């Protein structure tokens, strides 16, 4: 019965419309989540959203379950394997500790769970600074092994050569200006950027240079909302804000912030759309209690039984006349 249902479900998912997507990525095989009736999001589609003033929704994912969650909504346009992976999943104190191999490992899992959202992967700290060639080699690994459809990198005018080269060789680049978490040491912490005249001018000049170098979109992090709007009005590519106010073309948040599973610092721009930490911790405690008090597993509902005759025969055979199981 189950196998039969599974087959027809699979057939449904490879109908004429979905078969067209197969060349891009097979639909994630989560039997609990029905296929989402949305075509694969492309860069062209993201530009069309900007043109039509439809806010772009981007969310981070770090593994197969969070990728499935992002793909479960027709409204998710971009899934980002952010290097916030370092803190929220791997327990590092900052993104600078994350390696390329770790990012590829997680990106592969996210790709397996991603259906329609455009999949962007962060280039970890130190993987795009030593030379343009090395940046290309590392970005190619994220595409080939991590199955990224675009890469994201932090920085301003100093990285335009890398952005240009990657764009030329066909690897779409999402730029990232404003607060650059990978540079938290040199920036003396995670501070709002562009609050001074000089600071604001720098963020604008960086954003324009990155657009000219070919970036297909740009994340603008932790800047005053006036500056978020100014940059958005000046650029022709989508701006995705995080702590940049409501006027950018889209928004991005960290998955664990949205779910309320992250108990670390809560930035001003974070909104928790659920409180899963409470639900999760209650479930863990309830499980422990049930194990301790013996109410889990329930003999009738949560255990297997053996046919009485077979059990009696078993006892007879193994215990025999001695009344104990032979070694
Ligand atoms: O790593 C990250 O999570 C990011 C943000 C923009 C969400 O880069």
């Amino acid at each position: 019965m189950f196998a039969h249902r599974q087959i027809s479900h699979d057939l449904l998912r490879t109908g004429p419309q979905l078969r067209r997507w197969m060349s891009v990525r097979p639909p994630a095989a989560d039997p609990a989540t029905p296929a989402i009736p949305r075509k694969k999001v492309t860069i062209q589609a993201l530009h069309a959203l900007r043109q039509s003033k439809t806010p772009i929704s981007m969310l981070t994912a770090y593994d197969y379950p969070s990728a499935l969650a992002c793909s479960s909504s027709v409204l998710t346009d971009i899934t980002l394997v952010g290097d916030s992976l370092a803190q929220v999943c791997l327990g590092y104190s900052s993104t600078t500790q994350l390696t390329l191999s770790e990012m590829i490992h997680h990106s592969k899992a996210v790709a397996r769970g991603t259906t329609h959202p455009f999949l962007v992967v962060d280039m970890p700290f130190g993987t795009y600074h030593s030379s343009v060639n090395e940046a290309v080699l590392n970005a190619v690994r994220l595409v080939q092994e991590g199955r990224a459809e675009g890469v994201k990198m932090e920085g301003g005018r100093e990285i335009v050569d890398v952005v240009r080269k990657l764009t030329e060789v066909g690897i779409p680049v999402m730029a990232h200006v404003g607060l650059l978490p990978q540079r938290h040491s040199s920036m003396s912490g995670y501070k709002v950027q562009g609050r001074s005249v000089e600071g604001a001018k720098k963020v604008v000049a960086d954003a324009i240079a990155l657009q000219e170098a070919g970036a297909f979109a740009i994340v603008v992090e932790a800047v005053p909302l006036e500056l978020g709007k100014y940059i958005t009005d000046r650029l022709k590519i989508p701006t995705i804000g995080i702590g940049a106010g409501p006027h950018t073309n889209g928004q991005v948040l960290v998955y664990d912030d949205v779910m309320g599973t992250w108990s670390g610092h809560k930035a001003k721009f974070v909104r928790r759309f659920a409180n899963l930490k409470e639900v999760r911790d209650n479930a863990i405690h309830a499980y422990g209690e049930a194990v301790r008090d013996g109410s889990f597993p329930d003999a009738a509902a949560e255990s297997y039984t053996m046919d009485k005759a077979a059990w009696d025969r078993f006892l007879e055979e193994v215990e025999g006349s001695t009344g104990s199981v032979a070694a």
Side-chain angles (χ1 to χ4, degrees), residues 81-83 85 98-107 121-122 124:
V81 192
D83 60 358
L85 163 71
L98 187 75
T99 65
L100 184 64
S101 326
E102 286 166 332
M103 184 50 115
I104 290 172
H105 177 75
H106 282 263
S107 177
V121 181
D122 256 333

Side-chain angles (χ1 to χ4, degrees), residues 305-319:
T305 54
M306 196 161 162
D307 173 68
K308 170 105 176 58
W311 181 244
D312 288 345
R313 214 168 56 248
F314 163 78
L315 286 180
E316 212 177 282
E317 284 185 22
V318 298
E319 294 193 355

Side-chain angles (χ1 to χ4, degrees), residues 7 48 57 63 85 107 120 123 132 187 192 214 239 256 279 286 320:
I7 288 165
S57 170
D63 52 18
L85 163 71
S107 177
V120 178
M123 291 198 69
V132 171
M187 286 176 148
V192 179
T239 56
D256 294 74
V279 175

Side-chain angles (χ1 to χ4, degrees), residues 118-159:
F118 189 74
L119 182 59
V120 178
V121 181
D122 256 333
M123 291 198 69
F125 176 71
T127 62
Y128 52 102
H129 293 120
S130 59
S131 72
V132 171
N133 278 357
E134 181 143 19
V136 173
L137 289 175
N138 290 333
V140 165
R141 286 197 65 194
L142 288 174
V143 170
Q144 288 188 328
E145 299 172 48
R147 299 175 66 200
E149 291 162 336
V151 297
K152 178 165 84 58
M153 59 185 69
E154 299 179 9
R157 281 157 286 181
E158 73 287 357
I159 61 160

Side-chain angles (χ1 to χ4, degrees), residues 7-41:
I7 288 165
S8 43
H9 183 71
D10 288 345
L11 278 176
L12 268 179
R13 291 162 77 105
T14 50
Q17 208 187 7
L18 281 166
R19 237 187 337 251
R20 205 151 31 92
W21 304 346
M22 290 293 281
S23 61
V24 183
R25 171 167 301 126
D30 176 18
T33 309
I36 294 286
R38 182 165 177 193
K39 278 198 220 165
K40 184 75 193 166
V41 176

